[in-house]
Amino acid sequence: MIPEQQQERASLYALDALAGAERDAFERELRASNELRIFVRELQRSAGLLAMTVPQIRPPQELRSKVLERVKSESDAKTTDTNPAGFRFADAADPSG
Amino acid sequence: MGRANWASSCGRTHQVMLEPKSAEQHQTELLRRIAAQDHQALADLYDQLSGPLFSTAIHILGDQREAEEVIQDVFVQIWNRAASFDSELGVPFHWTLGITRHRCIDYLRARQRRTRLLDDATTETEILSRPAASTSAHDALSEGELARVRATVQTLPPDQKQAIELAFFGGMTHQEIAETLGEPLGTIKARIRRGMIKLKESLKAYV
């Protein structure tokens, strides 16, 4: 059972309403508890549904090509590290498997 | 319409709502590929998420041109930051929504600065007219399901709904919400907790 105060922090976190040190501290709690991670994911999915409650407007067709062209030109122009540190996909399938 | 039939009749973004776990696995994999500089993965993610992200941006900004600029910025950020997505801390759609909302708030703040600088100049915003038939993403979500989600949000007590919306669409922290509403911080935290848990329970089929 998740304590009420932790539920409060989880709810704020799911709405991005925690900031600074409080956010960092909560993320440490999150990494330490599978039960809390499940709870937060459900809250985040609920928050995601809030985005569906506004009028759904289709982006203009040309926006897709603008986005992809802009990303292409910026990535071509930039020398990037293709495997930066901090890459974490804890729950994703192992691509080598 | 049954859930399975509804799912099969829907377009790209139905995965966001209907099958959150499998959609999340797929989106997590797309982010992994994006982090490895895979342009096709970015195109696929755009096809899945641009509709709700664009709609959210328009709702916050009330200006289609700015929303289009925001969406370009958002996908550039997704491209640049995909490697920092941490699936221990959240789900992909929520992560991209966070980027979108923060970018919108940046635009709103810039707009306020511009307005102040121009003093009496009027910043014209192009508020979209929203005729449902022409603009709704009918190919993405069933109107019935959308109506059910909206109705659930409407069942929240007004004070809970207000606090949640100020955080979600207004980009405010709990301290800022407490200051804005002139309420104690503890009251705001409790309000948001009760509202979010009610949403989670009421929308259990989708989360």
Side-chain angles (χ1 to χ4, degrees):
Chain A
M1 181 65 185
I2 297 170
E4 203 167 280
Q5 287 193 335
Q6 202 169 38
Q7 289 184 13
E8 281 183 358
R9 292 194 292 277
S11 300
L12 293 168
Y13 184 77
L15 292 170
D16 279 339
L18 274 186
E22 279 186 295
R23 184 183 179 89
D24 294 343
F26 183 75
E27 289 187 346
R28 285 194 292 276
E29 293 175 45
L30 202 48
R31 290 185 197 284
S33 166
N34 190 49
E35 184 189 19
L36 184 59
R37 281 199 295 276
I38 291 168
F39 185 73
V40 165
R41 277 165 197 246
E42 289 178 352
L43 290 174
Q44 288 180 333
R45 289 178 192 129
S46 302
L49 289 172
L50 289 173
M52 306 295 181
T53 64
V54 303
Q56 294 297 297
I57 299 165
R58 195 176 297 126
Q61 195 70 32
E62 65 274 16
L63 185 58
R64 186 180 192 274
S65 52
K66 277 186 192 169
V67 164
L68 299 181
E69 281 164 20
R70 187 171 148 197
V71 169
K72 177 91 170 62
S73 70
E74 291 198 16
S75 70
D76 285 350
K78 203 163 68 173
T79 306
T80 54
D81 179 355
T82 56
N83 186 22
F87 184 20
R88 293 174 58 91
F89 285 92
D91 295 341
D94 179 357
S96 65
Chain B
M1 182 185 289
R3 192 176 164 91
N5 288 341
W6 182 79
S8 64
S9 72
C10 288
R12 295 156 172 164
T13 52
H14 78 274
Q15 295 177 66
V16 172
M17 271 188 76
L18 266 192
E19 300 166 3
K21 285 163 193 157
S22 62
E24 282 162 16
Q25 284 171 356
H26 183 228
Q27 289 158 8
T28 298
E29 180 55 27
L30 288 177
L31 286 173
R32 179 199 293 278
R33 287 170 48 200
I34 291 167
Q37 311 285 288
D38 182 336
H39 288 271
Q40 184 57 50
L42 187 78
D44 291 348
L45 194 72
Y46 179 93
D47 291 340
Q48 285 194 25
L49 301 183
S50 60
L53 297 182
F54 183 65
S55 301
T56 302
I58 287 186
H59 182 74
I60 294 172
L61 295 166
D63 183 315
Q64 177 162 351
R65 272 194 299 271
E66 282 188 345
E68 290 177 23
E69 288 170 17
V70 161
I71 292 301
Q72 290 189 50
D73 295 345
V74 164
F75 278 89
V76 169
Q77 283 197 45
I78 290 172
W79 178 260
N80 290 329
R81 293 172 50 191
S84 71
F85 170 72
D86 186 340
S87 61
E88 277 202 332
L89 301 180
V91 298
F93 178 51
H94 184 268
W95 184 72
T96 60
L97 259 180
I99 294 173
T100 304
R101 290 185 296 116
H102 285 291
R103 196 73 193 115
C104 286
I105 302 303
D106 290 343
Y107 268 72
L108 286 177
R109 288 182 180 147
R111 190 194 292 170
Q112 285 165 357
R113 279 196 300 274
R114 211 165 49 233
T115 304
R116 278 199 302 271
L117 285 170
L118 294 173
D119 195 23
D120 58 350
T122 310
T123 305
E124 292 291 335
T125 56
E126 180 190 341
I127 305 292
L128 278 181
S129 58
R130 293 167 175 163
S134 61
T135 55
S136 291
H138 287 292
D139 59 338
L141 296 171
S142 134
E143 284 300 327
E145 293 287 340
L146 275 175
R148 205 171 304 160
V149 173
R150 288 184 187 125
T152 300
V153 174
Q154 291 305 322
T155 64
L156 289 176
D159 58 347
Q160 294 174 17
K161 182 168 176 283
Q162 180 189 39
I164 287 172
E165 289 185 343
L166 283 173
F168 189 77
F169 293 115
M172 290 186 184
T173 64
H174 56 305
Q175 286 98 342
E176 289 168 334
I177 296 168
E179 284 165 22
T180 300
L181 299 179
E183 299 274 11
L185 196 54
T187 303
I188 296 303
K189 286 181 180 178
R191 220 174 255 181
I192 288 178
R193 181 187 71 83
R194 285 197 294 271
M196 286 301 290
I197 287 178
K198 183 169 183 193
L199 275 185
K200 179 171 92 67
E201 296 304 320
S202 304
L203 299 171
K204 216 170 183 60
Y206 309 118
V207 302

